[in-house]
Amino acid sequence: MQKHESLIQAQVNIEKAKIKKQITKLKDSYKQMHSLAMSRQIKNELVKQNQEFINDIVQERWKELEQEMNSFAVEIEQKQVEQKEIKKFFDEVEPKMKNFYDRYQEIYQQYKCYLILRKYRNI
């Protein structure tokens, strides 16, 4: 009977050892899974922070580009105003210049006639 009990006790001890071994494997698996989950969480957090950093840089650069575009727009408007003023000036001056040129041509023709007459008078 004692042999029977000792055999049962031996089998119980063997089963206990198997169960302890399985528990240890489960604990190790849990630690690995927890470690993997933590590394994934850390990776996800780093990706998130990196994306936020990139977004901040993009937004900052976009603001700079908007400011540059606005300054170009102001410059273009100024140039357009200057061109309009120049065109207005030439629109005002052009008839006067034409009148001046026409008058010059008239005077020049009169002068040529004068020279011709003078030449023939002196002959």
Side-chain angles (χ1 to χ4, degrees):
M1 184 104 159
Q2 241 182 1
K3 280 186 178 182
H4 190 12
E5 286 180 11
S6 59
L7 279 176
I8 292 175
Q9 188 62 38
Q11 279 184 333
V12 167
N13 287 341
I14 289 172
E15 289 299 317
K16 279 185 179 178
K18 286 181 182 177
I19 291 172
K20 281 185 180 180
K21 192 174 182 181
Q22 286 178 343
I23 289 173
T24 304
K25 281 184 179 180
L26 287 173
K27 283 183 179 179
D28 289 343
S29 293
Y30 173 78
K31 286 179 184 177
Q32 285 177 345
M33 288 175 61
H34 181 71
S35 174
L36 183 62
M38 291 302 289
S39 68
R40 282 186 181 161
Q41 184 179 3
I42 290 170
K43 178 186 169 197
N44 290 341
E45 184 64 29
L46 288 173
V47 167
K48 181 182 171 186
Q49 287 177 358
N50 191 25
Q51 190 63 40
E52 288 172 357
F53 179 71
I54 290 171
N55 287 342
D56 289 345
I57 290 174
V58 168
Q59 287 176 354
E60 193 174 302
R61 184 64 182 135
W62 185 255
K63 287 178 184 176
E64 290 174 6
L65 288 173
E66 282 181 334
Q67 289 176 348
E68 286 180 32
M69 288 185 343
N70 289 339
S71 68
F72 286 142
V74 167
E75 285 182 38
I76 289 171
E77 286 178 26
Q78 289 174 346
K79 297 291 183 187
Q80 288 175 340
V81 167
E82 289 175 6
Q83 285 178 342
K84 286 178 183 177
E85 289 175 357
I86 291 170
K87 185 176 182 333
K88 182 180 174 185
F89 172 77
F90 278 108
D91 287 345
E92 290 174 3
V93 170
E94 187 177 19
K96 293 177 184 176
M97 290 298 291
K98 185 166 180 7
N99 288 339
F100 173 79
Y101 182 75
D102 290 345
R103 183 72 178 132
Y104 168 79
Q105 287 292 333
E106 184 181 320
I107 292 171
Y108 180 71
Q109 289 299 325
Q110 289 174 359
Y111 178 70
K112 281 174 57 178
C113 288
Y114 167 75
L115 290 178
I116 292 171
L117 286 175
R118 190 169 151 202
K119 181 179 178 184
Y120 286 116
R121 272 193 205 162
N122 288 337
I123 294 182

